[in-house]
Amino acid sequence: MTIKKFQGKTQEEAIAKAKAELGEDAVVMNVKEVRPKGIFQSFKRPSFEVTAATEEKEKRVDSGVALKNLQKMHETINMAADEPIQLPPPVSQPGHTVETMQPPRSPEDQEKAAEQSAIEFLKRNAGLLKKEDSDERERIEEKLENLQSILEKQLASGAGKSAEEKEFAKTDSKKKENLAFIKVLYETLINNGVNEKYVNQIMDELEKVNWNGNSVDQILSNVYQKMILKFGRPRGIDFSGKRPKVIFFVGPTGVGKTTTVAKVASKLKVEQGRRIAFLTADTYRIAAAEQLRTYANILDIPLTIIYSAGELNQSIEQLEDYDAILVDTAGFSHKSSNQKEDVKSLIQNLDSHYNSEVYLVLSATTKYRDLIEISDVYKEISDYKIIFTKLDETTTYGNILNIKLYSGAEVSYITNGQNVPDDLEIFNSQKMVKRLLGGS
């Protein structure tokens, strides 16, 4: 499979360039409007970038199988997972309408028209089945019935073909069907917020397997497994080694860091029976320490406030009988160098004979560009694992995969609400991949 990008002054021009180079059977996978930059941007018109794909050495297609399988895509997906994944149909291109088609008269014209109609319909109109408008749905279904009728006559007229010709047509139809399905995968990942760079990496890896000869189920299962491997195997807090385990929670303001500290403490104490203590170095925010004190009183956990990095080891010495000491640090903007140095000094001042971990708390609602800058700033402070919060406040989860691949850090926990401790869980890569592929 060949995937390329083309630019033009209009969407039509970019698509025309794609078809001119890749052929008329090229499938448009993504259309993006590119806004001009610079001080004269208001005087310039935007351009369009089209991502298109085609299968090399593509030959004649019997597209009946492709149409029928795409219609039944949700029913045929079967993978080694807890729940079925349901992929949404691709989004239709604006400006296209469906017209009733009459069968050609001669058998040769009938075969040619059926094939061309099926391919064009697959490219342009498959996504319309998702629309809520009942009249539109009826017109689409009528179109499908007409196409099916024509294709059945086409198959009947080809009954006299040799076994070799029939096998060739069947193989070529499988290629076309799979290429259309890969387009659906591409659009689903993009719509779920996965960065185009990482989507293309997944598509490139898919190209290395024999996807032409595989079924739709096998292709989806391959993508599913590869994405799980990209997330890796998440783990909770490791209590091996010397006690107490000192765990720092760092992150920008407003991500719910203090609440996350309380959730982790509650999980460890109530569910695992661990002895937990709190330290807070957040003396910047008004009432920050009082918020953590409230949780400490509820959980019957000791709380110590430290005002400088030099007080850290002394405070820990008084808590050496505990299994873990959770340290809540001050949140700061990734653009604030002074506060960054304060947090860095606190972490690096910890005595080397203590076991420690650092967790970077990030919000799933933060823009990808900001997440990149935040992850870079905190990488200068320490290596870290990641906790993503506020999953209940977004419907796209692509940034979790984006930052995992960008930073290389392990995603350990996620939170999806304000309830302590119920809305905290160890990251489940299988569930997340299902969501990214359009499942629930």
Side-chain angles (χ1 to χ4, degrees), residues 78-82 221 224-225 430:
N78 180 19
M79 302 179 303
D82 301 335
S221 179
Y224 174 79
Q225 293 169 11
Q430 291 187 2

Side-chain angles (χ1 to χ4, degrees), residues 284-299:
Y284 289 91
R285 286 191 307 132
I286 298 175
E290 292 306 314
Q291 180 184 1
L292 194 59
R293 189 184 300 279
T294 300
Y295 290 125
N297 291 337
I298 294 172
L299 296 170

Side-chain angles (χ1 to χ4, degrees), residues 174-185:
K174 175 69 70 177
K175 291 180 181 180
K176 189 62 182 180
E177 172 197 353
N178 290 350
L179 185 59
F181 181 73
I182 288 172
K183 176 188 174 184
V184 175
L185 285 177

Side-chain angles (χ1 to χ4, degrees), residues 178-209:
N178 290 350
L179 185 59
F181 181 73
I182 288 172
K183 176 188 174 184
V184 175
L185 285 177
Y186 188 99
E187 291 179 346
T188 300
L189 291 172
I190 290 292
N191 291 336
N192 276 319
V194 181
N195 185 266
E196 188 175 11
K197 170 184 175 182
Y198 300 123
V199 177
N200 287 332
Q201 286 181 6
I202 294 170
M203 295 297 107
D204 290 342
E205 292 174 7
L206 186 60
E207 189 176 1
K208 296 176 184 177
V209 303

Side-chain angles (χ1 to χ4, degrees), residues 314-369:
Q314 182 180 355
S315 299
I316 293 175
E317 287 177 5
Q318 300 173 7
L319 300 168
E320 287 191 343
D321 291 337
Y322 286 82
D323 294 317
I325 300 173
L326 310 188
V327 184
D328 187 18
T329 64
F332 64 89
S333 167
H334 55 279
K335 299 178 181 179
S336 174
S337 58
N338 291 335
Q339 288 179 292
K340 180 185 78 172
E341 290 302 319
D342 289 344
V343 174
K344 184 176 182 180
S345 175
L346 178 70
I347 294 174
Q348 293 183 349
N349 194 61
L350 179 69
D351 195 302
S352 60
H353 78 273
Y354 290 118
N355 291 324
S356 66
E357 288 185 356
V358 178
Y359 284 87
L360 174 59
V361 183
L362 299 172
S363 170
T365 62
T366 305
K367 293 185 295 186
Y368 178 46
R369 182 176 299 178

Side-chain angles (χ1 to χ4, degrees), residues 416-435:
N416 52 15
Q418 297 296 317
N419 294 326
V420 178
D422 296 336
D423 294 333
L424 173 86
E425 61 184 70
I426 293 179
F427 178 73
N428 187 317
S429 57
Q430 291 187 2
K431 287 184 179 179
M432 183 54 60
V433 171
K434 289 177 188 177
R435 289 179 176 180

Side-chain angles (χ1 to χ4, degrees), residues 238-245 355:
D238 181 11
F239 283 98
S240 62
K242 185 178 178 180
R243 293 188 310 171
K245 186 67 171 286
N355 291 324

